[in-house]
Every structure is written in structure tokens, then in C-alpha cells.
Amino acid sequence: MYKRKSTSTVRSSITLPILTGHRTKFTVLALGVSLFVNAIAFAQNTSDNEYKKPLKQVLAEVEAKFNVKVKYSEDMVEDRWVPYADWRYKPTAAKTLAAVLAPLDMKVNEEKPGNFKLKYYEYSRLTPEEGKEKLAYLSSFYTDKATWEKRKADLRPCMYEALQLSPMPAKPKSKPIITNKRVMDGYTIENIAIETLPGVYVCGSLYKPLKIKGKIPVVLCPDGHFGDGRYRADGQYRYAMLAKMGAMAISYDLFAWGESLLQFEGKDHRRSLAMTIQALNSMRILDYLLLLKEADPTRVAITGASGGGSQTMLITALDDRIKLSVPVVMLSSYFSGGCPCESGMPVHLCGGGTNNDELAAMAAPRPQLVISDGGDWSANVPDTDFPYLQKIYGYYGKPEMVANSHFPKEGHDYGKSKRLAMYDFVAKQFNLNIAAVKGADGKVDESKVNIEKYPAMYVFGEKGEKLPANAIHSFAELEKVFTAAKK
């Protein structure tokens, strides 16, 4: 018979049966206590502590289990823990990694089969499949011109509020600063700075035809995130060729790039307010250009690539003065732009959530050429984004007013083939003289454009010595100026 020991004594024991052909007693002193304590400790190190494991250890275990590789830098995994780590395993490595990283605001990209790269969570990026699903969902809001116009009417005021441009800040009364006019083969260049907020200047270069007769088109050329900013050669080709065809084209710095660095630090470009300042800069520049006697307000265009493509779609959606747009290598149903200057303000949360396809569609029925390539997020434009735009333009009975030039073997740039597509489209829609830039072989010839060195395009001198006395010199000052200008 089993004999129960008193549980009131500290030296508890357990009487266990051992079958060895006959019944005997086996008393284990303190073993019960030990098992009990170990059980408690195990519970505290598991569910009470969320079954935590170091992220680096978990990634190593996933690599071993699925025979895959995960690339990462040590700083990405240092002091990061995965709660309920062993409960997150799924049938595949991709699904397991997604589950493991979800609570850490991280993700992986599968660069090739079995090879993953660890990345921080990108709020502005979905998967292509999720982008298609979102586009289908957004499309369910409208089925004709009337329902689309209602959607657009809901989006636009929210976008202004999201940018903190409702109401618009007061406009400085200063005149633009114009310096260093150069005469080239068929065009002229002037450097220009416009005060967009008190003490805040945006700098650029204004290209005009050498000979101007009557009213001519205006083309805004916001810059993107390419090395050397607006000073790079492919930009200069573009601005000059538009001028040689009979338009005035203006290039201008991103916020906290180029000459804007005389006032702000490079890190300020990656602040959310940069998105607002860049939008405001485009509008203020257009305000000035449309005051020029030679400017034709019925022929105003905007074109830019990458971050400049984001600005192109945004400004066209916000401002009906834009009559034609050419966003380059930026349209995507699943990517809204990874820089805060493109998506830092909650514009894409308007209307219950929108995307760049809807922003681009807000151009309808104004002429629009979408330029895309096979090497970035615009790769799906021909199959996904462009048919959507054609549908919206079809609501107005003008599906032919939107076009797509796709370069499946090219990458993320505003290279020559893309520029040629833009020249043809703008020349056709705005009746420009494209023959003026064609050689004897009938092809567009960019060789007569003079590519300048950077200092020639500076407004404020090589060392910023000509910066106005009222110029502010910090982001903190900008925030104060911006707030004051809205009162």
C-alpha cells in the first residue's frame, strides 16, 4: 500500500511504485520539490516570458531547418528578441520568416530562391500581389465619371490637409533672384532662386528658347534621388532640349539637396515636412512662371523621374494648372515612395487609403505619359497600372489621352530612350517644334546641348557667399517659419 508523507514538512517525499516482480517502496526525498521548482522555472521562461529567443538565433534555426540563407548586418539583429519564436514556424521559409519578423517591424526580400535579405519594415511598400488587391479594392469605389469625380473630390482636400497646406501659408513678397544668364545654341539659361517661405529659398535653372515669339509652354522639372541632383548631365539634356523645341523648362533642387544645403542639413531631406516643402516649392515656382508675359497658362507640364516622378503625380493631382504630366519610373500600385519626402506626410492615407495609381488617375482627362521600366517597381505598369488609368480616362471618353512607354530591359533612370519618348509626347500635345532638334537622319539629336559644370548653375556662389541675409539656417527655424506663415 502507498503511504502518503505529510505535506506539512519541508522535507517532502514521494512514494513511488517500482515493478520488479514484487511491490517495493521507493521514497525520493526532495525530488518532488526539485521537479516542482523546475516546472515553475520552465513556465516562467516560456509562456510568462513569451517564449522569447534572440532574433539572431531564430534566423540561424530557420536557415538550418529550411536550408536557406538570410543576409543581414549585425546592427539589425543586436538586442532584438522574437516572442513565441518556436510557435511561428510555417510550412515554408518565406512564411516562417514573415511570421518571425512581423512583431519586430521587419521583413525579408527573397533575392533569389533560398536567399533572403533582412530589411526594416517599409510602410510605403506592399508586395505586387497586395498592390493588385488594393487597386481592385479602390476600383470598387467608382464605376463611371460621376462616382470617380466624387472620389477625387474626397481625396484632394484631404491631401492638402495631410500636407498641412490647408490653408496655404502666406507667400513672401520678395522678387526672384536671377543671376548669370548664359546664351547657348538655341536656348538660354538663367539661375533663379525663389523665396517660398520667409527666409527659405528654392534654387534652380530656367531654360528658355533663344528666340521667343508669343506665348510658350511651361515645363516644371522636379528632381529625383539621383547622384548630383539637378546638375547631372541627363537633366541638362532634358531641360535644354525642351527649350530648343520652344518651351521654357525649369529645374530645381529637392529640399535639403543642392543649394538648399546652404540652409539645411542633408538629414533634413528625410523628414516628413520635406514632402510639404517640395510641393510648396513647385507651386510657388509655377506662381512665378505664370506671371511671365511669355508663359502660356494653357500649356503647363510637369515631368520628373523617381522622387521627381512622385512629385509629378502629386502636384498634378493637387493643381489643375498642370495640363500635362509625365511621371517617370515611379508609378506603382504597391510602392508609394520610400523617402519621407515622397510619403512622409499621410497623403496616402486619404480617402480610407489611396495609392499612386489613384493620384496619377486624378490627372484625367489631362494628357499623361507614364514611362516605366523592367528593373524597378514600375515593371508591372503595362499589365496592372496602365489598364487602370485607361479605365479612368475612359470615364471621360478620352482613353487615348493616357499613354505608356515601357522599357522592359532598362532600369531606374531618366535615360535617353525615356527622354525621347517624353520629347515626342510633349511636342505632340503642346505643338512644339521637334524638327528643330532633329538631325539630318531625322532622329532627335542631343549632341548640341552644352553640359555645364556645377558652379555655373549656382545662384548663391560657389561657397554660398551670396545667400540672402534673411536666410534661415536650421530645420527648427523652418518649422517655426512654416507655422507662423499659416497664421
Side-chain angles (χ1 to χ4, degrees):
M1 170 178 289
Y2 301 139
K3 186 177 181 180
R4 182 186 298 269
K5 295 273 189 175
S6 171
T7 58
S8 63
T9 177
V10 174
R11 294 188 65 216
S12 299
S13 66
I14 302 175
T15 301
L16 298 174
I18 298 179
L19 301 178
T20 57
H22 63 278
R23 177 173 295 183
T24 185
K25 288 185 178 181
F26 178 57
T27 303
V28 183
L29 297 177
L31 178 60
V33 174
S34 176
L35 291 173
F36 179 75
V37 171
N38 287 339
I40 294 298
F42 179 77
Q44 289 175 338
N45 287 327
T46 52
S47 61
D48 285 358
N49 280 341
E50 300 179 323
Y51 292 92
K52 287 181 180 178
K53 281 187 177 182
L55 174 58
K56 187 173 183 178
Q57 177 185 338
V58 175
L59 293 177
E61 292 173 355
V62 171
E63 287 180 320
K65 179 178 177 62
F66 293 102
N67 192 28
V68 298
K69 293 293 183 183
V70 182
K71 293 193 302 184
Y72 54 83
S73 59
E74 288 298 320
D75 64 295
M76 296 184 77
V77 298
E78 185 178 4
D79 296 327
R80 287 182 179 268
W81 292 72
V82 182
Y84 306 103
D86 291 336
W87 298 79
R88 296 181 180 274
Y89 278 87
K90 307 295 179 183
T92 67
K95 290 183 178 180
T96 298
L97 288 167
V100 164
L101 298 170
L104 303 178
D105 277 347
M106 302 179 84
K107 58 180 287 188
V108 287
N109 284 352
E110 189 168 10
E111 298 181 319
K112 59 182 180 180
N115 285 264
F116 298 88
K117 184 175 182 180
L118 185 64
K119 296 175 71 70
Y120 293 109
Y121 175 72
E122 297 173 284
Y123 67 88
S124 59
R125 190 193 300 266
L126 307 173
T127 65
E129 292 73 23
E130 289 171 333
K132 289 181 181 180
E133 291 176 0
K134 175 120 182 224
L135 193 58
Y137 168 70
L138 294 175
S139 296
S140 68
F141 294 166
Y142 32 82
T143 55
D144 53 23
K145 178 181 176 181
T147 50
W148 164 248
E149 286 284 347
K150 182 181 183 302
R151 173 68 174 171
K152 188 166 68 171
D154 290 339
L155 287 174
R156 181 178 284 181
C158 176
M159 291 164 65
Y160 271 99
E161 290 178 8
L163 289 167
Q164 299 179 23
L165 293 177
S166 179
M168 291 286 285
K171 186 187 305 182
K173 296 180 180 180
S174 59
K175 294 182 179 180
I177 300 169
I178 300 175
T179 65
N180 192 23
K181 183 173 182 178
R182 290 92 74 200
V183 177
M184 304 297 185
D185 183 1
Y187 64 99
T188 64
I189 312 173
E190 296 172 301
N191 301 333
I192 184 169
I194 294 175
E195 190 178 15
T196 57
L197 288 167
V200 180
Y201 292 86
V202 58
C203 295
S205 296
L206 180 58
Y207 292 67
K208 293 182 181 179
L210 183 59
K211 296 180 181 180
I212 299 176
K213 293 182 180 179
K215 301 284 188 178
I216 63 173
V218 173
V219 184
L220 301 182
C221 300
D223 195 35
H225 297 100
F226 299 105
D228 301 327
R230 67 180 179 87
Y231 311 116
R232 66 191 188 280
D234 71 85
Q236 293 187 54
Y237 281 125
R238 180 160 38 104
Y239 320 140
M241 293 293 281
L242 287 166
K244 288 166 72 75
M245 288 193 292
M248 70 172 81
I250 186 166
S251 68
Y252 45 103
D253 291 325
L254 291 164
F255 173 74
W257 278 47
E259 288 188 88
S260 184
L261 288 172
L262 297 173
Q263 299 190 256
F264 306 101
E265 297 183 58
K267 66 181 181 181
D268 294 333
H269 178 72
R270 295 195 61 82
R271 296 179 185 267
S272 294
L273 191 58
M275 185 178 184
T276 297
I277 300 303
Q278 289 182 174
L280 183 64
N281 286 347
S282 291
M283 295 177 183
R284 295 286 197 245
I285 288 169
L286 186 53
D287 290 343
Y288 165 71
L289 293 179
L290 291 182
L291 292 175
L292 300 180
K293 63 180 181 180
E294 64 267 36
D296 183 353
T298 69
R299 292 185 292 172
V300 176
I302 185 169
T303 181
S306 190
S310 293
Q311 291 185 66
T312 294
M313 291 181 284
L314 177 63
I315 300 304
T316 304
L318 292 173
D319 198 330
D320 285 334
R321 294 178 298 176
I322 302 295
K323 306 302 181 184
L324 178 153
S325 59
V326 185
V328 179
V329 297
M330 198 60 225
L331 182 64
S332 172
S333 64
Y334 67 90
F335 186 49
S336 302
C339 178
C341 75
E342 300 170 271
S343 56
M345 290 298 192
V347 166
H348 293 91
L349 299 182
C350 287
T354 183
N355 63 8
N356 276 351
D357 281 17
E358 278 202 323
L359 266 60
M362 291 175 71
R366 294 167 284 175
Q368 179 174 203
L369 170 65
V370 176
I371 298 180
S372 53
D373 68 88
D376 59 27
W377 44 83
S378 66
N380 295 331
V381 165
D383 300 324
T384 302
D385 314 89
F386 183 56
Y388 165 80
L389 291 178
Q390 286 182 306
K391 181 181 71 172
I392 302 299
Y393 274 74
Y395 292 161
Y396 297 87
K398 295 184 177 181
E400 74 283 358
M401 298 306 289
V402 63
N404 174 219
S405 292
H406 187 67
F407 300 91
K409 297 183 179 180
E410 295 190 14
H412 193 71
D413 60 25
Y414 208 146
K416 186 173 182 178
S417 57
K418 299 179 179 74
R419 297 196 299 273
L420 294 178
M422 182 271 289
Y423 298 152
D424 283 339
F425 187 79
V426 178
K428 178 181 178 181
Q429 297 295 333
F430 280 179
N431 194 30
L432 295 178
N433 182 17
I434 197 169
V437 297
K438 289 183 176 181
D441 59 359
K443 296 181 180 180
V444 170
D445 180 12
E446 295 181 326
S447 66
K448 295 182 180 180
V449 172
N450 184 19
I451 302 302
E452 298 186 296
K453 301 294 184 182
Y454 303 168
M457 291 175 276
Y458 294 157
V459 180
F460 298 134
E462 292 191 43
K463 297 181 180 180
E465 64 272 12
K466 299 178 182 179
L467 191 67
N470 76 325
I472 65 174
H473 292 279
S474 72
F475 190 82
E477 288 184 89
L478 171 62
E479 291 179 308
K480 292 179 182 178
V481 165
F482 181 74
T483 300
K486 290 173 61 66
K487 292 182 179 179

